[in-house]
Amino acid sequence: MLSIIGLVTILTIVFLLLSGRITPIIGLVLVPIIGALFAGFGFAEIGVLFGEGIDRVINVVIMFIFAILFFGVMQDAGLFDPIINKMIAISRGDVIAVAVGTVIIGAIAHLDGSGASTFLITIPALLPLYKRLKMSPYLLLLLVGLSASIINMVPWGGPIGRTAAVIGADPTELWRPLIPVQIIAMILLIGLAVILGLREKRKISKLTESENAELEAAATLEVPEQAAPSKKDESLARPKLLWANLLLTLGVITMLVWGIIPAGFVFMISLSIALIMNYPKVDDQMERIKAHAPNALLMAAIILAAGSFLGILDGTGMLQSLATDLVLFLPAFIVPYLHLVIGFLGVPFELVLSTDAYYFALVPVVEQIVSGYGVETTSAAYAMVIGNIIGTFISPFSPALWLALGLAGLEMGKHIRYSFFWVWGFSIVLIVAAMLIGVI
């Protein structure tokens, strides 16, 4: 019964997010509470679970608020303009080259294994470029997410560490056979970026033709000229402080990778320095904070709601129960290949199970079952890791994804609709590739 309630709760939230019928905050707050009440938990118990969930995401919330403010100030000061102009010059405004470059930049940015810092580094820098070229920001999120997922197979990434703990292996030893898989995956992803870049180029071409036709029609009908769209306030730019802002940003990234200071504290310090350096007047500083505060606070609220969602579903035992019971309803002939079945379904599982539930509840159960049929422990683990890890940044359970959506101003439902089948197809191809080279 607990599994059924958990599954219904999760599917309801996913459906509501996909359909766009409610805001994420409402769905993430109310639906889990209703599920917990049906499961027999009282309001006092739910309140405790809420507190535990909030504790899990509070550091992300703090980092998010000050990161948005910091990168907003850097954008105002014009830090990213030369980078964007240089990338356009190198790519000559070619959509395909930008898509491929996004994959490479995403991989480099994720070498620290942190999804949050990856999105903090890549999205503020690349989003203006995508907008200038009329490319879909959802393509940006798809390519960065896939690239980061591939690099996330490193031993200091969360999934490998969790898997190593479950099967009693050394994370580094578990990672080494995955290096060829990562190389193959990056090559495949660059190929996918070319394909998606071609598709995006055709869309932009059609959109441009449509806009030109509308302009011609408007001119023929002598429609009054519309007001030009609002542009960036150039008075905020600080070209003379470009190198100082660049050094400050590189220092922030270095501190994020080093990890000696909490990320939220890093952005608090960096924001303070950025404001003093670029806008010495107190009124100007307050105006910059007010300008970027709405986005920061809105997505901070959504992340807090996600923390409540995670805390309630995890604390009630719904996730663990669901992961355990899923394997009990399969036909007998599938059981010896259960690790492959779970691997092929790894991306859909990202929509209904948290990372902890997948690796700490589902993986040990599946490994124990298939090992009785002669399947090696590492082989079973690799199938489930590769299939699931590619979908890391398509899951509503990922706080880093909520951060990315906030940075790009995108919606979870639209992101899942845009990316789901590309991500799932990519994970299946990668599992097959791993089987062909003998990793699985």
Side-chain angles (χ1 to χ4, degrees):
M1 182 57 68
L2 196 59
S3 297
I4 293 172
I5 294 173
L7 182 61
V8 171
T9 299
I10 293 168
L11 291 179
T12 300
I13 292 172
V14 171
F15 170 75
L16 292 173
L17 288 175
L18 287 173
S19 64
R21 297 188 179 186
I22 60 172
T23 64
I25 293 175
I26 295 174
L28 293 170
V29 171
L30 294 183
V31 178
I33 292 174
I34 295 170
L37 291 173
F38 271 106
F41 290 83
F43 280 107
E45 295 170 293
I46 294 172
V48 173
L49 300 179
F50 161 80
E52 293 174 353
I54 295 300
D55 288 342
R56 291 166 60 176
V57 300
I58 191 64
N59 289 332
V60 176
V61 172
I62 294 170
M63 176 185 67
F64 182 89
I65 292 172
F66 287 94
I68 287 287
L69 295 175
F70 172 76
F71 282 113
V73 170
M74 289 295 100
Q75 191 111 6
D76 292 337
L79 172 64
F80 301 117
D81 292 345
I83 300 173
I84 296 164
N85 293 333
K86 189 67 175 177
M87 286 190 68
I88 290 178
I90 294 173
S91 64
R92 295 180 180 178
D94 185 73
V95 172
I96 299 171
V98 171
V100 172
T102 300
V103 170
I104 297 170
I105 292 170
I108 294 171
H110 197 70
L111 287 173
D112 67 339
S114 169
S117 63
T118 299
F119 291 125
L120 286 167
I121 292 166
T122 56
I123 290 180
L126 294 176
L127 183 61
L129 173 60
Y130 270 67
K131 288 183 176 179
R132 188 178 298 185
L133 296 178
K134 298 182 179 179
M135 296 173 68
S136 171
Y138 288 98
L139 175 61
L140 167 61
L141 193 53
L142 168 61
L143 293 176
V144 172
L146 280 174
S147 187
S149 297
I150 293 167
I151 301 301
N152 207 33
M153 295 181 194
V154 293
W156 53 90
I160 295 299
R162 289 178 175 89
T163 304
V166 167
I167 67 175
D170 178 79
T172 305
E173 294 293 329
L174 198 61
W175 169 58
R176 288 193 184 111
L178 288 174
I179 296 175
V181 177
Q182 288 179 292
I183 295 171
I184 292 171
M186 287 304 301
I187 295 171
L188 291 174
L189 184 54
I190 288 173
L192 179 61
V194 172
I195 294 171
L196 293 176
L198 285 168
R199 187 183 73 156
E200 196 70 13
K201 199 170 186 178
R202 287 195 293 268
K203 285 184 178 179
I204 294 169
S205 178
K206 289 180 181 178
L207 180 63
T208 303
E209 290 175 3
S210 176
E211 289 176 348
N212 289 338
E214 289 178 3
L215 288 173
E216 290 176 5
T220 303
L221 295 171
E222 297 183 354
V223 175
E225 186 178 346
Q226 295 181 344
S230 60
K231 297 181 180 180
K232 178 181 174 182
D233 187 353
E234 296 298 333
S235 66
L236 299 174
R238 299 291 184 266
K240 293 181 180 179
L241 295 173
L242 176 63
W243 287 105
N245 285 323
L246 179 61
L247 288 174
L248 176 60
T249 304
L250 291 176
V252 169
I253 295 170
T254 301
M255 295 302 293
L256 291 174
V257 174
W258 191 9
I260 193 171
I261 299 176
F265 193 29
V266 170
F267 281 111
M268 280 185 181
I269 296 171
S270 59
L271 173 64
S272 302
I273 295 172
L275 287 171
I276 293 171
M277 186 168 63
N278 290 281
Y279 308 103
K281 295 181 180 179
V282 174
D283 289 344
D284 291 340
Q285 293 171 5
M286 292 303 298
E287 283 299 319
R288 291 304 88 221
I289 293 174
K290 289 178 182 178
H292 301 289
N295 289 335
L297 293 177
L298 174 61
M299 287 310 302
I302 292 177
I303 294 175
L304 288 171
S308 171
F309 164 57
L310 291 171
I312 292 173
L313 262 68
D314 193 32
T316 56
M318 291 182 193
L319 293 181
Q320 288 75 9
S321 178
L322 180 59
T324 303
D325 290 346
L326 281 172
V327 301
L328 300 179
F329 300 96
L330 295 171
F333 70 90
I334 291 179
V335 175
Y337 310 101
L338 188 57
H339 59 303
L340 293 174
V341 173
I342 298 298
F344 284 128
L345 295 175
V347 172
F349 271 125
E350 276 293 300
L351 298 180
V352 296
L353 291 177
S354 70
T355 302
D356 285 340
Y358 184 88
Y359 286 98
F360 292 134
L362 189 58
V363 169
V365 172
V366 174
E367 186 278 325
Q368 187 175 12
I369 291 172
V370 298
S371 62
Y373 292 86
V375 178
E376 292 185 8
T377 297
T378 53
S379 179
Y382 288 142
M384 289 183 282
V385 168
I386 294 171
N388 176 264
I389 202 171
I390 296 301
T392 298
F393 299 114
I394 201 174
S395 170
F397 289 95
S398 171
L401 177 57
W402 289 104
L403 171 64
L405 293 168
L407 289 168
L410 305 179
E411 298 177 17
M412 176 66 80
K414 289 183 179 179
H415 167 60
I416 294 174
R417 287 198 298 271
Y418 184 94
S419 302
F420 179 78
F421 287 105
W422 290 109
V423 173
W424 192 11
F426 191 86
S427 74
I428 292 172
V429 171
L430 198 56
I431 291 175
V432 173
M435 293 171 67
L436 292 176
I437 64 175
V439 173
I440 299 174

